[in-house]
Amino acid sequence: MKVSIVGASGFAGGEILRIVAAHPNFEVDQLCASSSAGKKLGEFHPQLPQLAKQELKAVDPEALKESAAIFLALPHGQSGKIAAQLRAGGVESLLVDCGADHRLTSKAAWDSYYGGEYCPAWTYGMPELKCASEPSQREQLACAQQIAVPGCNVTAVTFAFQPLVAAGLIDPNDIVATLAVGYSGAGKSLKPHLLATAALGNAQPYAVGGTHRHIPEIAQNFAVSSGNNPEDYKITLTPVLVPMSRGILATVTAAATQKTSTKQLHALYQDFYQEENLIQVLERGSWPQTQAVTGSANVQVQVALDKRSGKIIALSALDNLGKGTAQAAVQSANLALGLPEYNGINQIGVAP
């Protein structure tokens, strides 16, 4: 199957290409960009020598009609316009949006956190999201023509806390998530706080005080898992940029609503994720770490009870460009195209 990437020069586009180039069912078709059009891919992704000489082109709906799937690896506010352009141009391919444009089901949430034109929500690209009602997320993806890939921070927090939310074991009014995030999550745009002089030997928070745009998406996922409303979940999210290129380590806490123990919580997680090939519940006493999942679609999770405070602490580690973006995009596309879910998905990490 031919697949194309719009936004191929960016970090997410490059990671999608790394997976697609080794995928047993995919062949790279068009590589598209805006300001980088006319240049060769090798200028941006020298790690992909087999594609280095392929030219980046402007988006042309006619040229993209042969693609079975088109991945949109663009900043928020751009993919909605490109998607509309493609559909207006007669493109019937599967569209997979790695940006935020089609994630939120609530226009009010979009207006509050993003602003600008609201685009209707697409099928959500998180197969592991457990739905309180039918159909399952995998069943929805199998019928999808348009997929919205989750945010990377959203994925980390959702996988860390989803079992607790689904079981009703935590107080939804005070969920606190602190994330150590690698710099590739900020994209390639040139900004002073992203320069090496600001990054090396430094940790810096951003989007503090309830302003991070992933907050309503996390609440939306918790509502899907529990059957409640997104407004029921009060989430404090504080991401901190740390000097690593890839990875997220999420620590999420909330008060327990009933008597429990670390042993019981661990058993809950093992049962909840036992059918999920990409999510590893670690042995008790072991803790997630980003290096173990670098370059892969794997997610490590762990949970513990702080008996003195009555708080439950759950942690997750993933590669923000891997399961946080590109691996999730390809995994979801596999389901929509009728392929085995894990075809081309990398389940082996790179360490050190």
Side-chain angles (χ1 to χ4, degrees), residues 102-104 121-127 129 137-138 140-141 144 146-151 154-155 158 217-218 220-221 224 332:
H102 300 94
R103 293 173 185 163
L104 296 181
W122 288 356
T123 304
Y124 198 63
M126 184 183 284
L129 182 63
Q137 204 62 34
R138 284 186 168 90
Q140 294 179 48
L141 285 165
Q146 302 175 140
I147 295 171
V149 179
V154 177
T155 301
T158 299
E217 190 181 343
I218 296 169
Q220 180 176 289
N221 286 354
V224 169
S332 298

Side-chain angles (χ1 to χ4, degrees), residues 218-243:
I218 296 169
Q220 180 176 289
N221 286 354
F222 287 170
V224 169
S225 291
S226 65
N228 298 329
N229 295 316
E231 294 76 17
D232 294 335
Y233 295 94
K234 304 298 185 290
I235 301 162
T236 300
L237 178 69
T238 306
V240 181
L241 288 171
V242 296

Side-chain angles (χ1 to χ4, degrees), residues 92-306:
E92 299 179 355
S93 315
L94 171 70
L95 300 182
V96 184
D97 181 14
C98 296
D101 288 23
H102 300 94
R103 293 173 185 163
L104 296 181
T105 58
S106 166
K107 182 179 183 300
W110 174 269
D111 292 341
S112 179
Y113 282 86
Y114 288 92
E117 183 179 356
Y118 172 73
C119 298
W122 288 356
T123 304
Y124 198 63
M126 184 183 284
E128 299 87 356
L129 182 63
K130 309 298 184 186
C131 302
S133 58
E134 298 294 337
S136 72
Q137 204 62 34
R138 284 186 168 90
E139 290 172 325
Q140 294 179 48
L141 285 165
C143 303
Q145 294 296 317
Q146 302 175 140
I147 295 171
V149 179
C152 54
N153 294 321
V154 177
T155 301
V157 175
T158 299
F159 289 160
F161 238 47
Q162 182 180 201
L164 302 172
V165 170
L169 288 177
I170 52 92
D171 180 358
N173 293 304
D174 188 20
I175 300 172
V176 179
T178 304
L179 289 74
V181 181
Y183 272 77
S184 58
K188 277 190 171 182
S189 58
L190 185 61
K191 298 177 181 178
H193 75 284
L194 301 180
L195 297 176
T197 50
L200 297 178
N202 189 28
Q204 50 179 320
Y206 65 99
V208 179
T211 62
H212 198 285
R213 289 165 167 166
H214 286 176
I215 290 173
E217 190 181 343
I218 296 169
Q220 180 176 289
N221 286 354
F222 287 170
V224 169
S225 291
S226 65
N228 298 329
N229 295 316
E231 294 76 17
D232 294 335
Y233 295 94
K234 304 298 185 290
I235 301 162
T236 300
L237 178 69
T238 306
V240 181
L241 288 171
V242 296
M244 58 185 184
S245 60
R246 306 164 72 119
I248 296 174
L249 178 65
T251 304
V252 193
T253 64
T257 56
Q258 57 186 270
K259 187 176 181 180
T260 187
S261 67
T262 295
K263 183 178 180 180
Q264 291 173 317
L265 292 171
H266 189 262
L268 168 70
Y269 272 63
Q270 287 182 313
D271 181 65
F272 193 91
Y273 286 129
Q274 65 177 334
E275 302 296 330
E276 297 299 343
N277 291 350
L278 302 180
I279 302 179
Q280 291 91 46
V281 179
L282 302 180
E283 294 296 322
R284 288 172 57 193
S286 298
W287 305 104
Q289 51 184 309
T290 58
Q291 189 180 70
V293 296
T294 298
S296 77
N298 296 331
V299 182
Q300 292 188 339
V301 297
Q302 186 58 281
V303 64
L305 175 71
D306 183 338

